[in-house]
């Protein structure tokens, strides 16, 4: 075979071999393995480190009660929006000062928010345009009994049909009265605005004449409803204490519905229980919601109740425990409390109509104290303290002079500061001293509207309000 000298190079001849050292033996036997091992270790470390660097981070667990985080600017905007909404509500009832005071609570300072500052200036200008009404002792008061929802059933009642026709107003008529009052420039006010209470450092509470700041052309008015108890005799035909289809066409209970609104229950003629605006409170609530300028600072009406037959349709009188059952009584006692709270929160002032619906002018001071002792025992735990007294039958314990005598002392000792009598023939009368405020009310009835329409001519037109077709002949 021919060699290719260009492809093959003759190796150098071997030298004579020397004796091997221990280091040479170690290098040949162990060092390669050590180097390979170290290399493997380095490779493993590199791979592990690379994996850790590129591993997807775990999602941290979020506690159930953790809220979403918002920025400081978003938090301030939410605060401003809430303040504006509430301030607009106050301003819609002409409480401009309350609206301005509310806007001033903005945590970042009102000057830092253009919208808040603009609204504040708007409210300030509107407040400056209000007109002071100082003659607060000459404010009319219109008074109503419980309203009739189903007029044919009320008139057909064998025991009281004639009295219902004579002394009561229907829901239809009441709505018409509200509209005419509004159209004629009236605005609802509270006795606490007419005669504010002030408690001094000595703990003594004094009464003073208020000044109402109203829009030009507005005239103040007080509304009162007496007997919003939904008495059993009006809704219960078989005497078992529970409302039934034999009732006389009145609401049987005041409730707070699923939307948080005050509404009535009523047992219809077919025996079904229906819910709706069947009495003064829910009807007035609906009207003020549609016409907020009909209410001064959110005022609605005085609601005067007795105690002997429960409150607002709930049988909270102790006789219920015996007549129906202890369980029924306990359930009604618990159920009426949120209703009472809702009534007050909606702008109503709750008053005492005496416990037994009795004329105090005919009672001695001791007998008055006995009646009020029953109120304290059975009603106060549910209503709390009340300082407004509405006299049944107009049975005032005094004349037009300032109060004095043992009867008044019994009432003052109980804590009454406001006293409301009755005089339908007088446009308005009041009396304010350091110790109390008095007022008379005009009782609106079917009979007065039919036979004495002049009693209300400054407020509404009885002829266009009265349901003469539905009522027929009205007793005088």
């Amino acid at each position: 075979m021919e060699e290719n000298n260009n492809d093959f190079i003759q190796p150098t001849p071997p030298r004579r071999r020397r004796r091997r050292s221990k280091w040479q033996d170690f290098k040949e036997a162990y060092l390669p393995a050590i180097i390979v091992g170290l290399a493997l270790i380095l490779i493993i470390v590199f791979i592990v480190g690379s994996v850790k660097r590129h591993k997807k981070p775990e999602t941290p667990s979020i506690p159930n009660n953790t809220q979403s985080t918002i920025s400081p600017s978003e938090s301030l905007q939410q605060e401003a929006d809430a303040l504006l909404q509430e301030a607009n509500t106050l301003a819609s009832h002409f409480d401009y000062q309350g609206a301005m005071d509310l806007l001033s609570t903005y945590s970042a300072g009102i000057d830092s928010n253009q919208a808040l500052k603009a609204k504040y200036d708007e409210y300030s200008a509107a407040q400056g345009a209000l007109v002071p009404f100082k003659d607060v002792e000459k404010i009319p008061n219109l008074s109503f009994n419980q309203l009739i929802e189903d007029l044919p059933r009320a008139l057909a009642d064998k025991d009281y049909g004639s009295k219902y026709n004579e002394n009561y107003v229907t829901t239809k008529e009441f709505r018409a009265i509200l509209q005419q009052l509004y159209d004629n420039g009236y605005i609802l006010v509270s006795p606490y605005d007419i005669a504010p209470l002030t408690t001094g450092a000595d703990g003594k509470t004094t009464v003073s004449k208020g000044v109402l700041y109203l829009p030009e052309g507005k005239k103040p008015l007080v509304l009162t409803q007496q007997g919003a108890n939904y008495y059993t005799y009006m809704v219960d035909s078989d005497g078992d204490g529970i409302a039934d289809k034999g009732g006389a066409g009145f609401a049987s209970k005041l409730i707070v519905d699923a939307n948080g609104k005050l509404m009535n229950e009523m047992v219809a003629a077919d025996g079904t229980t229906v819910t709706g605006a069947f009495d003064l409170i829910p009807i007035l609530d609906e009207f003020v919601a549609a016409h907020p300028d009909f209410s001064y600072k959110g005022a609605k009406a005085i609601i005067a109740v007795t105690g002997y037959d429960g409150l607002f349709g709930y049988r909270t009188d102790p006789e219920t425990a015996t007549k129906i059952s202890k369980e029924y009584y306990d359930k009604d006692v618990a159920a009426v409390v949120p209703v009472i709270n809702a009534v007050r929160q909606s702008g109503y002032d709750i008053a005492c109509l005496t416990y037994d619906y009795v004329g105090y002018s005919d009672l001695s001071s001791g007998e008055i104290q006995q009646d009020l002792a029953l109120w304290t025992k059975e009603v106060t735990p549910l209503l709390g303290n009340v300082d407004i007294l509405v006299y049944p039958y107009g049975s005032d314990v005094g004349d037009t002079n300032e109060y004095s005598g043992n009867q008044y002392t019994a009432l003052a000792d109980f804590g009454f500061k406001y006293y409301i009598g009755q005089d339908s023939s007088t446009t308005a009368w009041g009396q304010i001293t350091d110790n109390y405020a008095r007022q008379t009310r005009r009782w609106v009835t079917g009979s007065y509207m039919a036979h004495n329409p002049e009693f209300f001519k400054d407020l509404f037109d009885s002829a266009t309000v009265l349901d003469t077709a539905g009522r027929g002949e009205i007793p005088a």
Side-chain angles (χ1 to χ4, degrees), residues 343-357:
V343 169
R344 286 199 169 106
Q345 290 170 4
S346 190
Y348 296 90
D349 301 312
I350 301 180
C352 173
L353 192 62
T354 78
Y355 178 84
D356 259 329
Y357 196 69

Side-chain angles (χ1 to χ4, degrees), residues 122-404:
E122 177 186 326
Y123 296 152
S124 179
Q127 185 180 41
L130 297 178
V131 179
F133 183 93
K134 298 181 180 180
D135 198 5
V136 292
E137 290 179 322
K138 296 295 179 64
I139 296 176
N141 183 322
L142 280 185
S143 180
F144 300 84
N145 286 324
Q146 187 177 338
L147 303 178
I148 301 172
E149 167 62 16
D150 189 336
L151 182 57
R153 289 171 68 190
L155 298 180
D157 188 89
K158 59 183 176 57
D159 295 319
Y160 302 105
S162 178
K163 288 297 181 182
Y164 293 148
N165 198 7
E166 178 183 355
N167 295 325
Y168 290 70
V169 172
T170 70
T171 53
K172 177 182 177 182
E173 292 165 344
F174 181 68
R175 287 186 172 94
I177 290 172
L178 289 181
Q179 187 62 56
Q180 289 198 19
L181 291 173
Y182 178 74
D183 292 342
N184 290 334
Y186 284 96
I187 182 171
L188 301 179
V189 298
S190 165
Y192 297 102
D193 291 318
I194 295 173
L197 300 178
T198 304
T199 301
D202 59 356
K204 182 180 179 181
T205 300
T206 58
V207 184
S208 61
K209 289 185 180 180
V211 177
L212 305 174
Y213 289 90
L214 306 176
E216 183 74 39
K218 289 288 187 179
K219 298 168 286 188
L221 171 73
V222 177
L223 288 186
T224 299
Q225 184 181 34
Q226 63 176 39
N229 297 79
Y230 307 108
Y231 296 113
T232 51
Y233 78 87
M234 301 167 73
V235 299
D236 169 32
S237 64
D238 58 14
D240 65 354
I242 301 175
D244 54 49
K245 65 180 182 180
F250 292 90
S252 60
K253 183 177 289 187
L254 186 67
I255 65 168
V256 180
D257 71 7
N259 297 316
K261 294 182 178 180
L262 287 162
M263 285 290 164
N264 294 117
E265 284 185 358
M266 185 179 79
V267 181
D270 62 2
T272 60
T273 298
V274 294
T275 301
F278 306 137
D279 197 23
L280 184 146
I281 287 177
I283 293 175
L284 185 55
D285 280 351
E286 290 177 350
F287 192 87
V288 171
H291 307 86
D293 55 337
F294 186 52
S295 168
Y296 179 70
K297 295 186 177 181
K300 297 281 182 63
I302 298 170
I303 306 298
V305 294
T306 58
Y308 73 89
D309 197 17
L311 300 169
F312 301 112
Y314 298 84
R315 302 306 159 210
T316 58
D317 52 301
E319 290 184 3
T320 299
T322 303
K323 188 174 184 178
I324 303 178
S325 71
K326 180 66 163 56
E327 181 182 6
Y328 189 97
Y329 166 77
D330 290 340
K331 183 179 179 180
D332 269 22
V333 167
V336 76
V337 174
V339 174
I340 292 169
N341 293 337
V343 169
R344 286 199 169 106
Q345 290 170 4
S346 190
Y348 296 90
D349 301 312
I350 301 180
C352 173
L353 192 62
T354 78
Y355 178 84
D356 259 329
Y357 196 69
V358 290
Y360 278 174
S361 61
D362 299 325
L363 302 183
S364 66
S365 60
E367 290 170 327
I368 291 174
Q369 290 172 333
Q370 290 175 8
D371 183 78
L372 291 175
L374 290 173
W375 178 278
T376 300
K377 180 181 178 181
E378 298 177 19
V379 182
T380 299
L382 301 173
L383 283 185
N385 295 325
V386 297
D387 53 16
I388 305 175
L389 174 65
V390 175
Y391 291 108
Y393 317 111
S395 58
D396 201 316
V397 298
D399 52 25
T400 56
N401 295 316
E402 287 193 16
Y403 275 145
S404 63

Side-chain angles (χ1 to χ4, degrees), residues 92-114:
S92 70
H93 299 301
F94 308 111
D95 188 4
Y96 297 120
Q97 187 60 56
M100 290 188 290
D101 291 343
L102 181 64
L103 294 181
S104 297
T105 65
Y106 183 54
S107 58
I110 192 171
D111 291 332
S112 68
N113 187 292
Q114 185 176 358

Side-chain angles (χ1 to χ4, degrees), residues 408-420:
Y408 165 67
T409 299
L411 299 177
D413 289 346
F414 182 81
F416 290 123
K417 292 294 183 183
Y418 301 93
Y419 301 85
I420 300 177

